[in-house]
Amino acid sequence: MSLRRGPTLPYRVVAGVTPCSSGWLVQGAKIVGSAFAPEPPRVYETFLDILDEHPAFEIIVINAPIGYLDTPEMGARTCDREVRALVGRRGSTVHNAPSRAVLDELVEVKEAGLDAVTATMLPHYREVAKEMSPFRQRLIYEGHPELSFFQLNKDSSMQRSKKIEAGRDERVEVLKSHFPAFDTVLDDEISGVSEKHQFDALALLWTARRVFGHAAKRIPVEPEWDSEGLRMEIVY
């Protein structure tokens, strides 16, 4: 069974996870006491493959919605709106989660008015939604790379897009300040994975470490649940 406990190990494993063209990019790290050791990134074909990994991940922070409003008419989740406001100029990268009606194919994408990025991500989102339950929210948390970078950058938003060189350099500087072995973790030979995907996964990994250490914050502060009992929140 996914996420089951195995034999006691001398370490725990946490991960930052983000969608990529070939599946899911997983940036894991072992935690032993105060030691934090990132491992080489890996691509998993499905979200279920991540859940079936052994040893199991203790904490996963994933760049995908967890918890959905029922219909498009209900608008945006509070967490999406509040994160967008918090990261300021980078708020355009924080897209509204689709409604559960769209996820369940009860409402067409065009009718729901989804942006192109969200529409493209629907197959990934459906994978996560299929496996999620309130029980699993003890281990699996929704994150967003821009929010993670906001926290990594001392509660200050990134100034430039990661699609341009200046934005890349900005993120490299921030990541290197938190990951001393940053250069050894990157892998430019992973099929279907860009450098910016790896930046995102590393930022989410840092948030996973914060969740593990009970240091992470939640947006919104006051919990909100969807109709299936899932918390609608984003951690950082």
Side-chain angles (χ1 to χ4, degrees), residues 24 68 101-107 109 119 121-132:
W24 298 89
Y68 294 86
V102 174
L103 209 67
D104 295 341
E105 301 183 276
L106 301 176
V107 175
V109 170
M121 289 292 104
L122 280 176
H124 285 90
Y125 295 171
R126 288 181 177 124
E127 279 190 62
V128 177
K130 181 179 179 182
E131 304 300 333
M132 280 307 302

Side-chain angles (χ1 to χ4, degrees), residues 66-67 137-138 141 218 223-226 229-233:
I66 297 174
Q137 278 196 294
R138 301 184 310 162
Y141 296 79
R218 304 170 186 263
E224 294 186 338
W225 287 267
D226 72 2
L230 295 169
R231 292 192 310 277
M232 294 183 288
E233 63 181 15

